[in-house]
Amino acid sequence: MKRQRLIFFVFGLLLTVTSFSQAPQPYTWRNPAASDFPVVEGQAWPTEVTSPYDRFPARAEKTLNQNVWNISHSSAGLYIKFKTNATSIVVRYKVKGALEMTHMPATGVSGVDLYAIDPNGQWKWAPSSRSFGDTIEYRFSHLVVSSEFPGRDYEYRLYLPLYNTVTWLNIGVPGQSSFQFMRLSPEKPIVVYGTSIAQGACASRPGMAWTALLQQRLDRPLINLGFSGSGKLEQSVITLMREIDARVYVLDCMPNLTAWAGITKQELENRIIAAVKALKEARREVPVLLVNHSGGTDNNTLDTAAGNDYKNANQVLQQCFDKMKAAGLAGIYLLSGKEIGLSINSTVDGLHPNDVGMMDYAKAYEKSLRSILQEPAGKLTTTIPVVQSRDGYYDWRSRHHEIISGNKTTPPRIVFLGNSIIHYWGGQPKAPLSRGADSWNEILEPAGVKNFAFGWDKIENVLWRVYHDELDGFEAAQVWVMIGTNNLTADTDTAITDGLKMLMEAIKVRQPKASIMLSGILPRREMEKRIVGLNVLIAALAGKLKVQYVNPGIVLLNAQKKIDESLFEDGLHPNAAGYKKLALAIKPYLKQ
């Protein structure tokens, strides 16, 4: 009997300990609307909205069509960027409208969607458990963003509901976890004015709307001005768009401007030309992309009446486009329905895309916009522009934003693009550590060199930075490219030279007057022989591209063509003596 009681006691004690160990951890909650700085990306007027998740400023109510104003309270296209090391995240919020529609699920109408970007710049998606009610809750559990770089503060993006009004929202992480909202991007956004299709109907979840997919693919801010049934090229909306310093204006309103909707051909022509004219008068340098209706009989949909209606509208758009081009209007482009390429499996109802159709849209838009923006992407990893956060010493995006801001106040004369070897040498923008400040200050600083190098960068990371405005808005005398050593362990020599070729071409487009210097890869321990052969290829590439090849790294080698260990800290990064020799080797080539 005593033994039996002892067994029950031990069993009860184990249950108590187990229950205690499994007790839920307290969560710390953050309200984006209460942040000290704007954190809702995708808003053009973040300080002028009545509700924190509106898309138009409060003053717009006086000028907008009432339907447009009402729909502008939907949070389509808005997303929140934050960093955390949490392995579980909870999002709680309330919405005003119906949770779902007959042709669109609650996860798209009223749901949220969570993505992460790992330290190598790869997008990850977080599945959820969720409950819809008076308060909606999404739980994201067992999050492992990177096993290669564990325990980091990873970058997340929370996409908000496409067809509902968010009244309040909180993000929770376990109490011991780090958390910080990220500041808005200083880059110029892509601005999309469109219909329900642009708003996001009928994506299964917010991250599958074509605008969200496009934003991820280009990794550039995007402002979604899609208004279900009410995107009609109205001058009141165009007037507001003129206020936005955009990278590109997109006009995708044709699905709401057909004869079935009561729009005559003459009225359609008037609206198209008036919209383009108004945008171009305000911001002549900003490209305008006009977009066809994506539906029609060409995709084997059997409603021929609707298909012909769509075709007729597209014919008017083509005529207007041709007329404007013939009149000499520059910077306008056309994306055709054929290029979008919807199939019989791409829509919910013959008009609104499902997730397959959303992907069709995103791919077509990406191809068109990359051409307009002169931001090509290849198939090799070295030719696909991408961010990174591998280095634990500094914040990669913050340094990128600092460079863009600094260019506006103090335009650089000479730019060095590189990796940690250059980043941690010295100069401005200031790095968290400096291994050769004396030689930088003595030789490079007086020449007007700015340090645009980032620790851990590969060729594809520099390509992203060049595409994302680091060389825009000023005229440099000289641009130095000293990149590639971090590609050696993962990429072939052919991939490295192909990446350098694309990078050099991107620099030429943005700095046509600058003298461009392509450096051989600097020597590193146990890779000396390969680097010698690779540098022969890089020198040949420089000749083909008509840029100057330099190889200052040879001063860091000994008589046996191995690195001089006395000049290095770790076989890769020079010490102060190594940097001094490197600076003296570079000095004769610096443009006076």
Side-chain angles (χ1 to χ4, degrees):
M1 191 68 175
K2 288 182 179 179
R3 184 183 178 196
Q4 189 177 29
R5 279 201 290 267
L6 180 61
I7 291 172
F8 280 130
F9 172 77
V10 173
F11 182 69
L13 183 61
L14 287 172
L15 281 177
T16 301
V17 172
T18 303
S19 299
F20 180 79
S21 65
Q22 292 180 349
Q25 295 179 332
Y27 273 66
T28 302
W29 296 92
R30 271 83 172 188
N31 178 3
S35 172
D36 294 335
F37 51 88
V39 299
V40 182
E41 197 81 68
Q43 287 177 318
W45 302 270
T47 61
E48 294 188 62
V49 292
T50 300
S51 169
Y53 306 108
D54 281 354
R55 290 184 285 158
F56 272 134
R59 57 184 163 84
E61 183 177 10
K62 298 177 181 178
T63 59
L64 290 174
N65 175 308
Q66 190 63 44
N67 288 335
V68 172
W69 174 250
N70 291 339
I71 298 169
S72 73
H73 300 307
S74 295
S75 54
L78 304 186
Y79 54 100
I80 299 162
K81 297 187 297 188
F82 59 88
K83 287 187 174 182
T84 182
N85 63 1
T87 56
S88 61
I89 298 171
V90 179
V91 181
R92 291 176 180 167
Y93 59 102
K94 284 191 175 184
V95 296
K96 275 187 178 179
L99 295 178
E100 60 186 6
M101 297 187 291
T102 57
H103 63 333
M104 186 173 177
T107 50
V109 172
S110 306
V112 295
D113 217 354
L114 185 65
Y115 290 77
I117 303 177
D118 78 7
N120 290 313
Q122 301 304 305
W123 285 80
K124 305 291 183 73
W125 175 69
S128 66
S129 59
R130 55 201 171 272
S131 60
F132 288 89
D134 180 52
T135 297
I136 302 173
E137 181 178 278
Y138 270 66
R139 287 188 171 271
F140 306 93
S141 305
H142 312 297
L143 302 172
V144 179
V145 176
S146 172
S147 56
E148 182 183 3
F149 299 92
R152 294 282 187 90
D153 285 348
Y154 304 110
E155 180 178 332
Y156 285 87
R157 297 192 183 182
L158 181 70
Y159 291 87
L160 302 185
L162 297 169
Y163 264 80
N164 227 321
T165 301
V166 176
T167 58
W168 65 264
L169 182 145
N170 283 330
I171 302 171
V173 296
Q176 80 280 9
S177 303
S178 63
F179 185 98
Q180 57 180 324
F181 288 115
M182 295 175 63
R183 293 186 179 273
L184 302 183
S185 171
E187 297 172 30
K188 296 180 180 182
I190 297 166
V191 181
V192 178
Y193 178 23
T195 67
S196 55
I197 298 172
Q199 185 172 340
C202 291
S204 63
R205 47 187 175 85
M208 286 304 300
W210 72 258
T211 51
L213 293 169
L214 179 66
Q215 185 275 315
Q216 293 168 20
R217 286 166 174 262
L218 297 179
D219 200 5
R220 185 179 290 277
L222 186 146
I223 294 171
N224 185 327
L225 301 181
F227 305 107
S228 185
S230 297
K232 297 182 177 181
L233 294 181
E234 294 175 329
Q235 278 299 308
S236 54
V237 177
I238 297 294
T239 298
L240 286 162
M241 288 176 65
R242 285 158 52 108
E243 299 178 11
I244 306 171
D245 187 11
R247 192 69 180 85
V248 180
Y249 292 122
V250 175
L251 300 179
D252 191 352
C253 293
M254 298 305 292
N256 284 347
L257 294 171
T258 63
W260 182 86
I263 305 295
T264 65
K265 289 184 178 182
Q266 188 59 56
E267 175 64 17
L268 178 55
E269 180 178 337
N270 292 343
R271 292 194 186 201
I272 293 168
I273 292 177
V276 175
K277 182 179 178 181
L279 292 174
K280 279 297 184 180
E281 284 178 348
R283 300 186 184 272
R284 184 168 298 276
E285 76 287 354
V286 179
V288 177
L289 177 60
L290 299 160
V291 185
N292 271 169
H293 197 307
S294 59
T297 55
D298 288 344
N299 62 9
N300 295 323
T301 301
L302 293 178
D303 187 343
T304 54
N308 288 329
D309 196 25
Y310 305 157
K311 277 189 172 183
N312 291 336
N314 286 343
Q315 286 175 359
V316 176
L317 180 60
Q318 183 68 58
Q319 291 165 3
C320 290
F321 180 77
D322 293 341
K323 184 183 294 186
M324 289 185 287
K325 292 289 285 186
L329 187 59
I332 61 171
Y333 304 86
L334 181 65
L335 177 61
S336 70
K338 184 177 181 181
E339 289 172 299
I340 295 171
L342 298 187
S343 71
I344 58 175
N345 297 315
S346 297
T347 71
V348 171
D349 51 12
L351 176 62
H352 297 97
N354 54 26
D355 288 353
V356 174
M358 289 293 181
M359 190 63 72
D360 293 336
Y361 260 89
K363 289 178 179 178
Y365 263 102
E366 181 187 12
K367 183 178 180 181
S368 178
L369 288 171
R370 284 199 179 279
S371 175
I372 293 169
L373 298 174
Q374 296 182 287
E375 296 180 4
K379 294 183 178 180
L380 297 171
T381 55
T382 55
T383 62
I384 301 172
V386 67
V387 300
Q388 63 96 356
S389 57
R390 291 181 284 265
D391 195 320
Y393 281 121
Y394 73 103
D395 184 281
W396 196 89
R397 283 197 193 267
S398 293
R399 182 169 173 82
H400 170 63
H401 295 165
E402 183 182 3
I403 284 174
I404 293 175
S405 299
N407 290 346
K408 296 175 182 177
T409 56
T410 311
R413 182 175 174 274
I414 299 176
V415 170
F416 276 19
L417 294 166
N419 48 50
S420 59
I421 298 172
I422 308 301
H423 184 181
Y424 298 132
W425 187 345
Q428 297 294 326
K430 189 175 181 180
L433 60 91
S434 176
R435 297 187 174 105
D438 289 346
S439 58
W440 185 287
N441 294 338
E442 177 188 348
I443 296 171
L444 302 182
E445 189 73 29
V449 178
K450 287 293 180 69
N451 190 334
F452 285 18
F454 288 51
W456 271 93
D457 256 14
K458 297 183 178 182
I459 295 167
E460 56 266 32
N461 308 128
V462 180
L463 183 64
W464 187 98
R465 296 195 282 115
V466 169
Y467 283 175
H468 287 252
D469 306 350
E470 284 192 14
L471 296 183
D472 292 355
F474 66 95
E475 289 186 0
Q478 198 173 48
V479 177
W480 284 65
V481 177
M482 308 175 75
I483 193 70
T485 194
N486 289 326
N487 293 91
L488 290 171
T489 56
D491 300 297
T492 65
D493 291 359
T494 298
I496 289 171
T497 53
D498 283 355
L500 286 172
K501 179 177 182 293
M502 184 172 286
L503 174 59
M504 301 302 287
E505 289 170 344
I507 294 169
K508 281 187 168 185
V509 167
R510 289 153 181 82
Q511 290 289 339
K513 296 181 180 180
S515 169
I516 301 176
M517 313 293 290
L518 178 57
S519 171
I521 294 176
L522 301 178
R524 58 189 292 180
R525 184 188 295 144
E526 298 180 359
M527 289 192 178
E528 295 94 338
K529 184 176 180 180
R530 181 186 173 189
I531 289 172
V532 168
L534 179 55
N535 283 347
V536 171
L537 300 177
I538 293 174
L541 173 65
K544 290 178 183 177
L545 296 176
K546 294 182 171 55
V547 301
Q548 185 167 358
Y549 172 76
V550 291
N551 191 16
I554 58 174
V555 300
L556 303 177
L557 296 173
N558 59 25
Q560 290 74 43
K561 304 301 181 182
K562 298 290 186 179
I563 65 166
D564 183 341
E565 295 285 354
S566 69
L567 301 176
F568 285 81
E569 287 200 354
D570 52 11
L572 173 63
H573 300 93
N575 56 25
Y579 277 120
K580 180 64 178 287
K581 294 198 73 171
L582 201 57
L584 290 172
I586 287 172
K587 183 179 180 180
Y589 298 99
L590 294 174
K591 193 160 189 177
Q592 301 302 313

